[in-house]
DNA sequence: GATAGATGAGAATATTATTCTCTCTCTATC
DNA sequence: GATAGAGAGAGAATAATATTCTCATCTATC
C-alpha cells in the first residue's frame, strides 16, 4: 500500500529521476535512509517499472505522430497474439491499445515524415491480415507527459509518524 | 550532429537510465570519460530532455485510457492558447495533439474508471467551449514505449576513430 | 505498561559521477 | 609531405551519491 509520503516521492521521480535521494528525502520530510528504503520498495513492488531517458522527438527525426485505427474481421485470441508479437518489435509503434467501440485497435506510430509512414504502412499490411485501416495525422504535439496522475491512488494511513 | 556511438548510447538510455556510464561505455566501445562527455553533450543539446521514473498504471489506479477527439468551431490562435494552458495543468491528460482531418484535437486521458472519466469530462466542458467531443475507451494497453525509434536519425560520419 | 514489529536517523562504506591531465589521430594549411 | 591545432580518447584522482549497518523511537497489542 502507498501512503502520502510514497506518493510525494513518486510525484518527484515521475518528473525528474536525477534528483539525489537525500534531496528527495528533504523535500518530503524524511532522512536519506528511510526515503531510500521506500524507493527500493516501490521498485520491488513494481510500482516503479523503470527509469528512462526521454528524448526530444524533433532532435531524433521522429517528428510525425500518426494514430492508426485498425479494424479486423479476425476476432480470435490467436490472431491478436500474433499481431501483438509483431508490433512489439516495431520501434515505430510507440503505443498499442485494444479498444472498445467501432475501432478494434489503436496504434500510435512515430515516423519522420509522410513518406516514411507510407513505407511503414505497407510493411504492416504485408505482415498482418487487417480488414480496415484508417490513419490520422498529428500536426503538433502540444503536451506529452510520462507522468501518470497520482490523485487517484488509494492512500494508506500514514506509516511512521515524524 | 549525432554519430553511430551517440545513437547506441541513446538507445541504451532510452531503455534503462540506471546503467552506469562505465558500463554504457563498455557496451558501445568507449572508456568512461568520453562516454560521459557524449552524454553530457546530448543533454546540453537537448536531445535528452530528461530522465524520469515510469510507473505501472495498474499500481497507481490509472487503469483506463480514453482517447478524446475534439472538434471546435473556434479555429483561432487565442482559443487554442487558452485551451492548451488549461490542459497543461490537468494531470489526467497525458498527451495532447493538434490533428489534421476530421478531428481538430486528440487527447489521451488516464483515469481509474468510467465514473472518473465522466467527472473529468464534465469538468472539461465546463471550462472550455468545445463544439463536439467523442470518447473512445481502451480496454487494454498492449504496448507502451517511451523510447522513440532511432533508425531515422541522420548520422554524422563517426568522430574519433577507435 | 511491556514487547514485537515497523519505521526513522546518522555514521560508515561502496559505487558511480565528474574532473584533470595527458596522449593520439585526423585535418587543414603551408 | 611536414606540422600545428582541434577533437577525441584514456586512465588516475576526486567528489558526489547510493547503499549498508547499527541503533533509537514510535505504535499497536496483549
Amino acid at each position: 500500500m502507498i501512503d502520502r509520503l510514497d506518493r510525494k516521492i513518486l510525484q518527484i521521480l515521475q518528473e525528474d529521476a536525477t534528483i539525489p535521494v537525500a534531496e528527495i528525502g528533504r523535500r518530503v520530510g524524511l532522512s536519506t535512509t528511510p526515503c531510500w528504503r521506500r524507493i527500493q520498495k516501490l521498485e520491488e513492488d513494481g510500482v516503479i517499472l523503470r527509469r528512462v531517458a526521454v528524448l526530444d522527438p524533433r532532435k531524433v527525426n521522429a517528428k510525425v505522430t500518426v494514430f492508426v485505427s485498425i479494424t479486423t474481421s479476425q476476432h480470435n485470441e490467436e490472431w491478436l497474439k500474433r499481431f501483438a508479437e509483431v508490433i512489439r518489435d516495431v520501434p515505430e509503434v510507440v503505443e498499442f491499445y485494444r479498444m472498445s467501440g467501432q475501432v478494434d485497435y489503436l496504434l500510435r506510430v512515430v515516423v519522420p515524415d509522410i513518406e516514411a509512414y507510407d513505407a511503414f504502412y505497407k510493411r504492416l499490411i504485408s505482415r498482418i491480415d487487417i480488414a480496415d485501416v484508417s490513419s490520422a495525422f498529428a500536426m503538433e504535439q502540444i503536451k506529452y507527459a510520462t507522468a501518470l496522475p497520482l490523485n487517484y491512488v488509494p492512500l494508506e494511513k500514514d506509516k511512521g509518524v515524524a
Side-chain angles (χ1 to χ4, degrees), chain A:
Chain A
M1 226 358 139
I2 287 172
D3 73 358
R4 199 172 310 272
L5 289 179
D6 291 324
R7 188 170 68 176
K8 274 194 198 174
I9 292 171
L10 290 174
Q11 207 117 40
I12 294 169
L13 287 177
Q14 276 200 122
E15 295 299 335
D16 184 352
T18 67
I19 301 172
V21 178
E23 168 64 14
I24 298 174
R26 207 190 52 67
R27 292 197 198 171
V28 306
L30 274 179
S31 74
T32 307
T33 306
C35 182
W36 181 83
R37 275 203 289 243
R38 280 167 178 266
I39 294 171
Q40 285 303 308
K41 188 157 189 330
L42 289 166
E43 282 173 352
E44 278 167 23
D45 293 351
V47 179
I48 296 173
L49 289 175
R50 48 210 207 133
R51 290 143 184 273
V52 302
V54 176
L55 310 189
D56 185 336
R58 289 163 304 187
K59 297 284 172 67
V60 296
N61 203 21
K63 289 185 276 271
V64 173
T65 273
V66 188
F67 286 92
V68 183
S69 303
I70 293 179
T71 308
T72 176
S73 36
Q74 320 271 323
H75 283 287
N76 59 75
E77 215 24 74
E78 203 39 55
W79 183 87
L80 172 56
K81 201 175 158 215
R82 169 160 156 63
F83 187 29
E85 253 164 38
V86 171
I87 291 302
R88 215 172 290 284
D89 299 323
V90 179
E92 289 93 337
V93 178
V94 152
E95 300 176 42
F96 178 17
Y97 300 88
R98 186 163 57 79
M99 305 295 291
S100 75
Q102 299 303 308
V103 169
D104 293 322
Y105 300 97
L106 184 63
L107 307 184
R108 179 159 86 88
V109 176
V110 170
V111 283
D113 48 44
I114 312 283
E115 294 95 291
Y117 176 68
D118 195 46
F120 162 84
Y121 174 82
K122 283 179 189 156
R123 222 174 334 125
L124 182 71
I125 58 174
S126 79
R127 291 221 269 170
I128 317 184
D129 169 43
I130 297 173
D132 191 52
V133 180
S134 129
S135 311
F137 288 80
M139 302 280 84
E140 186 186 358
Q141 188 176 56
I142 302 171
K143 175 175 181 175
Y144 175 70
T146 50
L148 299 172
L150 296 182
N151 41 321
Y152 299 111
V153 184
L155 282 190
E156 188 191 23
K157 181 168 84 62
D158 281 9
K159 292 161 197 166
V161 191

